[in-house]
Amino acid sequence: MTAPRAEEFERLRPLLFSIAYRILGSVSEAEDAVQETWLRHAASPTPPASAKAFLSAVVTRISIDVLRSARVRREEYVGPWLPEPLLTDPFQDPARSAELADSVSMAALLLLERLSPLERAVFVLREVFAFGFPEVAAAVGRSEAACRQLAVRARRHMDAGRPRFDADRAEREELAGRFLDAFRDGDVDGLTELLAADVQMIGDGGGRAPQWADRYAGVGRVAQVLAALAALFAGIGARVAPHRVNGQPGAIFRDRDGKVLSIWALDVLDGQIQLIRTVNNPDKLGHLGPVADAWAALREANQARRPAGRPRVRA
């Protein structure tokens, strides 16, 4: 394997990962798909005419195959399934940064879950990364005419449920910051003021971690759950830090030892928090660093709980 070919692959790695992640909704599976793409590229006796077209096609086909088997596992998943959180998208295009961020949001990825694997791949290549139909057709092994039909169907489904976010990203981040401040303080009134009337809170523990939030709806119930969680996290010395999650406002929760406890992603619209998604399944957090034992944390919090005083989650 020549150094130039390896260097070219590394240059394209961010794009390949970003394609695979949007198709699969899994960081670990996307990384495996990129690694398998490299192995196939390294084994090829001659370099392709276009490395970008060739590698994009290979990673797309691998991702489609993985997705087909993954969908069966997701049907048997314990509780709500959410994508593995992505803190930073390695592929950047300053001219399309907002569009790329919205396309990797949890809301968008969950909408993509409704598409067939082929529709999903065609949509990602064509609508997100602006590949031409000849390249899309070569990547998925279908005719250009068939890919155009797949693209139309996929776009129709996506447009029907396309997530909406406030246009001003700075305002979204500012509101998320106020929300996290109120959460740290266990300020129920402050939380209630920032939540939409029909706010929802959904948690993904996968049967491997406590369900901080399975499925709750309505401002009163969600505010109550948030207040209880603030007390619980304060009881174990947990810390919360704002961080973009899948291109949207969110937060990382860590235990007192700095281990990842939970990732929250916030949907903000019309100046209010519309939806809170929490990922607690340790299998989906390992790529972020050492993961806390959430069950042990819950036991500790229950033992340390005090009836008096208002606890505070640390920043």
Side-chain angles (χ1 to χ4, degrees):
M1 175 57 57
T2 62
R5 193 191 293 196
E7 291 171 2
E8 191 169 41
F9 181 87
E10 289 303 318
R11 179 178 62 82
L12 291 167
R13 183 187 289 272
L15 172 64
L16 302 178
F17 172 85
S18 295
I19 290 171
Y21 178 75
R22 284 167 172 81
I23 294 174
L24 294 167
S26 166
V27 172
S28 56
E29 290 175 347
E31 289 174 341
D32 288 345
V34 173
Q35 181 60 24
E36 177 63 23
T37 299
W38 162 250
L39 294 175
R40 296 188 188 184
H41 185 45
S44 177
T46 57
S50 168
K52 178 183 176 182
F54 172 78
L55 294 172
S56 298
V58 173
V59 81
T60 296
R61 291 171 190 164
I62 292 170
S63 298
I64 290 173
D65 290 341
V66 173
L67 180 61
R68 284 173 173 151
S69 61
R71 288 165 78 95
V72 175
R73 296 194 304 273
R74 290 172 191 177
E75 290 174 359
E76 301 171 350
Y77 196 79
V78 177
W81 181 91
L82 295 176
E84 283 188 17
L86 182 67
L87 300 189
T88 304
D89 187 351
F91 179 77
Q92 299 295 321
D93 180 350
R96 302 173 60 243
S97 59
E99 181 180 350
L100 287 170
D102 287 351
S103 74
V104 82
S105 71
M106 286 203 173
L109 293 177
L110 288 169
L111 200 54
L112 281 168
E113 282 288 308
R114 303 179 187 178
L115 305 181
S116 71
L118 273 178
E119 288 172 339
R120 187 164 180 164
V122 168
F123 183 88
V124 168
L125 291 175
R126 176 64 182 171
E127 301 297 326
V128 178
F129 294 101
F131 279 61
F133 276 111
E135 296 171 298
V136 174
V140 301
R142 295 291 189 275
S143 68
E144 288 187 43
C147 287
R148 291 179 187 278
Q149 292 179 340
L150 288 166
V152 168
R153 288 203 301 268
R155 194 182 306 117
R156 185 184 304 124
H157 285 301
M158 294 297 289
D159 287 344
R162 187 176 296 278
R164 295 173 55 227
F165 305 110
D166 283 347
D168 193 310
R169 291 181 173 274
E171 289 182 5
R172 271 190 266 174
E173 301 290 346
E174 188 274 335
L175 186 141
R178 286 192 287 130
F179 168 81
L180 293 174
D181 286 341
F183 179 82
R184 290 189 190 99
D185 294 335
D187 180 0
V188 177
D189 290 339
L191 289 168
T192 301
E193 179 183 331
L194 297 172
L195 299 175
D198 57 350
V199 64
Q200 296 183 56
M201 190 170 184
I202 300 173
D204 177 346
R208 303 266 290 114
Q211 289 289 86
W212 307 129
D214 189 354
R215 288 186 184 274
Y216 298 107
V219 62
R221 182 60 175 140
V222 170
Q224 183 182 37
V225 170
L226 289 170
L229 285 176
L232 186 152
F233 287 173
I236 60 171
R239 294 171 291 172
V240 57
H243 200 293
R244 283 192 180 179
V245 177
N246 288 74
Q248 306 302 322
I252 304 174
F253 290 80
R254 300 181 186 273
D255 68 6
R256 62 167 59 88
D257 297 321
K259 296 180 179 179
V260 180
L261 189 63
S262 183
I263 297 290
W264 291 18
L266 311 175
D267 283 4
V268 178
L269 182 65
D270 299 329
Q272 291 182 305
I273 305 291
Q274 302 285 333
L275 201 153
I276 304 165
R277 296 184 178 89
T278 74
V279 180
N280 316 307
N281 185 342
D283 296 338
K284 296 186 176 184
L285 302 176
H287 63 283
L288 304 175
V291 180
D293 183 339
W295 289 111
L298 180 60
R299 289 193 296 270
E300 178 187 345
N302 288 335
Q303 292 170 359
R305 188 168 294 170
R306 300 285 194 277
R310 172 176 287 180
R312 190 178 193 279
V313 181
R314 292 186 294 164

